Amino acid sequence: MATSGEKQPKYQRIADALKAAIDSGQYRAGDRLPGENDLMESYGVARMTARQALGVLQSEGIAEARKGAGVFVRDFRPLRRRSIQRLAEGQWRSGRSIWAADIENRALEVDQVDVFEQPAPELIAGVLGLEPGEAVCVRERRFVLDGKPVLLSTSYLPAALVAGTRITQPDTGPGGSYARLAEIGAGPVHFREEVRSRMPVKDEAARLELSAGTPVILVCRTAYAADGHAVEVNEMVFDAASYVLEYDFDA
């Protein structure tokens, strides 16, 4: 009788062997992995099988291809996004960034910041309870962790609601947008997130510096004030290889 390992495709067995070698320390962060020719010789497989095996490690964020040099063990540690703890009111009301729940002592930079007004897109207007074409404040940002771009974020807030606040400025101040919303009596008390995934479009792949074949995670978060009205819609694009999404809640 065939074992479960024997039922696996050859490329997956090779990928599992490479992952085990990485876990054991045989290959460390930044080390070059065996190339296609090496795997063909060691395992007696076709080039396509060897290529698929290396592709598995790249798609899982364990390895990255460097043009003309080979495939290397990634030296970036995935970020554990604690989706519930990071949005707790005590987090942002205390003046802490919601990212502080995730990054520990790692270096976070927010760049490519652009803040502007525009007519609300139809779907956004519907969620925010705005009239078609009514103005929204748009905040576009890229988040870079340990020198690696990991997230593109676009927030939409009713322009009339946030006019005159630091939300309309690149730097929103301690606690971020949610702390500023609280100061005007519109602090969020409830959040809703929708999660899906797909392959990136060209601009996303370029801005996130994604390796070929790396998918993105899409998270759309809506923040609601105490009166039940939505005060923000935040559309986020994550480098799927750089994240673990953690949801911790009671039964």
Side-chain angles (χ1 to χ4, degrees):
M1 179 180 293
T3 65
S4 58
E6 291 171 338
K7 293 178 182 178
Q8 285 186 313
K10 287 182 180 179
Y11 75 85
Q12 187 63 59
R13 295 205 297 270
I14 297 171
D16 288 346
L18 290 171
K19 286 190 280 188
I22 293 169
D23 290 341
S24 71
Q26 181 179 344
Y27 300 108
R28 300 183 181 276
D31 285 351
R32 183 183 182 279
L33 292 171
E36 293 176 10
N37 291 337
D38 301 318
L39 296 177
M40 291 166 61
E41 182 177 349
S42 297
Y43 292 93
V45 295
R47 182 173 300 278
M48 180 57 68
T49 301
R51 185 171 299 167
Q52 287 177 303
L54 292 170
V56 169
L57 271 66
Q58 293 175 65
S59 66
E60 293 182 5
I62 297 170
E64 61 182 354
R66 299 177 188 171
K67 190 172 182 179
V71 177
F72 294 78
V73 181
R74 289 189 80 189
D75 57 7
F76 179 85
R77 178 163 51 95
L79 176 66
R80 185 168 293 274
R81 183 179 187 267
R82 297 174 172 86
S83 301
I84 294 176
Q85 295 92 324
R86 71 198 310 272
L87 294 173
E89 184 176 359
Q91 182 77 12
W92 44 266
R93 272 197 182 273
S94 66
R96 301 178 70 207
S97 164
I98 61 176
W99 278 77
D102 304 332
I103 64 173
E104 300 170 343
N105 61 349
R106 301 173 70 178
L108 176 69
E109 178 187 2
V110 184
D111 70 359
Q112 299 184 4
V113 180
D114 196 7
V115 184
F116 55 93
E117 283 192 14
Q118 70 172 42
E122 183 177 355
L123 291 177
I124 298 298
V127 175
L128 293 176
L130 303 176
E131 295 296 324
E134 192 171 345
V136 286
C137 174
V138 183
R139 299 182 52 81
E140 294 184 344
R141 293 144 290 163
R142 184 177 74 162
F143 292 79
V144 180
L145 186 68
D146 294 342
K148 168 73 175 73
V150 295
L151 167 66
L152 306 176
S153 173
T154 303
S155 295
Y156 301 88
L157 305 99
L161 175 66
V162 302
T165 72
R166 289 184 66 174
I167 292 172
T168 63
Q169 302 173 22
D171 183 358
T172 54
S177 294
Y178 296 153
R180 303 292 79 76
L181 286 169
E183 290 170 354
I184 59 174
V189 300
H190 180 73
F191 297 94
R192 181 173 184 264
E193 287 192 344
E194 296 180 349
V195 182
R196 60 190 178 95
S197 65
R198 60 166 167 74
M199 297 307 295
V201 299
K202 186 175 181 180
D203 178 66
E204 293 166 346
R207 294 179 65 196
L208 289 172
E209 301 176 8
L210 300 178
S211 300
T214 303
V216 290
I217 300 171
L218 309 179
V219 176
C220 181
R221 181 174 68 233
T222 306
Y224 297 88
D227 63 3
H229 286 92
V231 292
E232 181 210 37
V233 176
N234 189 353
E235 296 181 334
M236 294 165 276
V237 181
F238 297 76
D239 169 8
S242 295
Y243 274 91
V244 174
L245 304 186
E246 178 183 298
Y247 295 88
D248 181 10
F249 47 87
D250 295 330

